[in-house]
Amino acid sequence: MAIPITIPRLGWNMEEGIFVGWLRRDGDPIQAGEALFTLESEKATEDVECLDSGILRIPVGSPKPGDPVKVGDLIGYLLGPGEKEVPANASQESFLKPKAVKGPVPVSTSKKIELTKIAISPRARRAAEELGVDWKKLKGTGRTGRIREQDVSNALQAAEVRDESEVGDSRITPTRRIIAERMRHSLSTTAPVTLTTTADATNLMNFRKEMNSRQGEKMPGFTDFFVKLAAIALASHPRLNSRWENDRIIQLREIHIGIAVDTEAGLRAPVIRDVPRLTLDEVADRSRALIDRARKGTLKIKEMEGGTFTITNLGAFGIDAFTPIIHWPECAILGIGRIRRQPVVINDQVVPREQVTLSLTFDHRIADGADAARFLQTLVALIEEPAAALARVENAQPPGI
Amino acid sequence: VEVIDPRTVAPLDVTTIAQSVAKTGRLLIVEEAFGPFGLGAEVAAQLIDQGFDDLDAPIRRLTGAHTPTPYSPPLEAAVVPSVEMITQAIRDLVAE
């Protein structure tokens, strides 16, 4: 019996992806556990391993590299010993309509059926193609719900109102779509409030400079400091390290901190796990590796899931304060601004100090303003005395190596 | 709305009809004869052939009733498409 090969769900909310290419050729003998093809999903590109053994059969009509595919799409077969051809029912048709294949794929199956239901007039289809409008997303106003030319042009006009300077292809990548969905979902389910405060980072800068002279290139970046210090502050303010799940607030013991990384493909938020158990240098090593992989687009899904708090640093772009959007389902996200030299009054003297603005967005359903303010207070105190804070923690928990 | 009154049915000036459909995206064929297997069906078939991509709505035909045409003028008027029926059919097609 030939075993169908279908597009797997790489992340919990993956619906579609881009087929990057086969790693094996038609006719190759495959052992279970061997990488079979590469699939790009919402946030990561992964090699998909084969669950069974057999001879790989890639039929005509299976996706080409770069084709968009839906979870559950049938892309090929594994033939058992002695089997020469794919089953008779595996005609071209089965590539359009996935048959009952292993794994629960009801979502994509129902979507397929919906797709065939969308009616569009030939003229509207042509117009949509010329204007680059994705008509599958439109709602037709024809008598039978058919999409008419005017629906297409209206959709285009609506899009133009949103962005009059729109140029080029408006095709949305899976990454972009998932970012959009996450952001919208976060804003529509949480009650975000942003608090901003300014911390004196002079000591932090000096501390880092000292490390610099000791460690040279491998010294931790500012974000690494903030990750570590935020973890310390979170430990004493567990409210901000919770999530709202099924009408319950779950306080999490572990502190996994995500870092927002700007990549060519869009925003990624790899997660540094168990920050309290790591030394500052370990945090720096992990974040360096994760950011590097994020830029290369080789992050694994599981490296981006499970965060309990997120830090986003726009300081490098000269931003002071902003209102970050909570990385749902976390409770809070900390925005770091640029560190700038400013006149500050200390003991009636105006002195130049390094100032950094912190923007904390938290979910008011989970925490109150005072909770968040207290967390920020703690964090500011830690930032202002980083050496003491880090020494205290690293002495309490001896660093690994 | 454009009205095309073909001079001849053979040869049929499909090009003119197709140009009009390219503008409006719609085609309503009106004839006094009955619908089945008639001239209107031929026009529709040729237009589909040449201008499928220009259509934004189904081609509609408005024909005489499928019955021998009565001799009496009032009865004849009831069998062939009237001005009211044509305008109504146009409105329907535009909303289609």
Side-chain angles (χ1 to χ4, degrees), chain A residues 169-320:
Chain A
D169 194 355
S170 59
R171 197 187 140 97
I172 298 167
T173 62
T175 307
R176 198 70 249 162
R177 180 159 294 142
I178 206 77
I179 291 174
E181 269 168 23
R182 288 237 170 111
M183 293 302 167
R184 209 190 44 210
H185 186 75
S186 172
L187 275 185
S188 63
T189 53
T190 63
V193 179
T194 303
L195 303 182
T196 61
T197 186
T198 304
D200 190 320
T202 314
N203 290 344
L204 182 65
M205 278 200 110
N206 292 340
F207 183 68
R208 184 165 173 265
K209 255 183 226 149
E210 254 174 61
M211 288 188 87
N212 185 13
S213 53
R214 283 206 314 269
Q215 284 173 278
E217 270 183 17
K218 291 197 80 182
M219 73 170 166
F222 279 111
T223 310
D224 303 327
F225 276 96
F226 287 115
V227 166
K228 187 64 195 161
L229 295 173
I232 299 172
L234 279 173
S236 47
H237 298 275
R239 259 247 129 199
L240 290 237
N241 198 53
S242 338
R243 58 178 53 178
W244 181 289
E245 238 174 64
N246 306 326
D247 281 336
R248 285 177 56 203
I249 292 171
I250 298 172
Q251 244 171 47
L252 301 151
R253 203 178 315 121
E254 266 89 42
I255 297 174
H256 306 312
I257 296 189
I259 344 169
V261 182
D262 172 53
T263 73
E264 272 175 28
L267 177 71
R268 314 253 147 147
V271 174
I272 304 178
R273 282 173 193 277
D274 270 326
V275 178
R277 282 196 209 133
L278 303 175
T279 65
L280 182 61
D281 288 335
E282 286 168 335
V283 168
D285 283 347
R286 302 254 164 118
S287 79
R288 206 174 293 123
L290 286 170
I291 291 171
D292 189 44
R293 284 228 291 291
R295 299 244 152 92
K296 283 185 190 142
T298 54
L299 278 178
K300 301 259 187 303
I301 294 273
K302 56 176 186 283
E303 289 175 320
M304 286 178 280
E305 283 179 348
T308 62
F309 187 86
T310 299
I311 288 185
T312 167
N313 190 342
L314 291 183
F317 304 103
I319 302 297
D320 288 333

Side-chain angles (χ1 to χ4, degrees), chain A residues 121-123 126 146 148-149, chain B residues 22 53-56 94 96:
Chain A
S121 79
R123 190 186 184 93
R126 183 183 59 187
R146 173 170 23 85
R148 302 188 286 174
E149 190 188 25
Chain B
D53 283 339
D54 289 320
L55 285 169
D56 204 16
V94 168
E96 179 63 61

Side-chain angles (χ1 to χ4, degrees), chain A residues 9-52:
Chain A
R9 199 182 291 273
L10 295 182
W12 62 275
N13 51 1
M14 169 176 175
E15 295 299 344
E16 59 179 17
I18 303 278
F19 184 79
V20 178
W22 289 99
L23 297 170
R24 307 301 298 267
R25 261 181 292 195
D26 187 28
D28 282 0
I30 311 287
Q31 296 298 317
E34 285 184 325
L36 205 54
F37 59 92
T38 310
L39 182 62
E40 182 187 340
S41 75
E42 51 222 28
K43 286 202 156 190
T45 306
E46 280 190 31
D47 292 345
V48 178
E49 288 175 2
C50 194
L51 299 174
D52 299 281

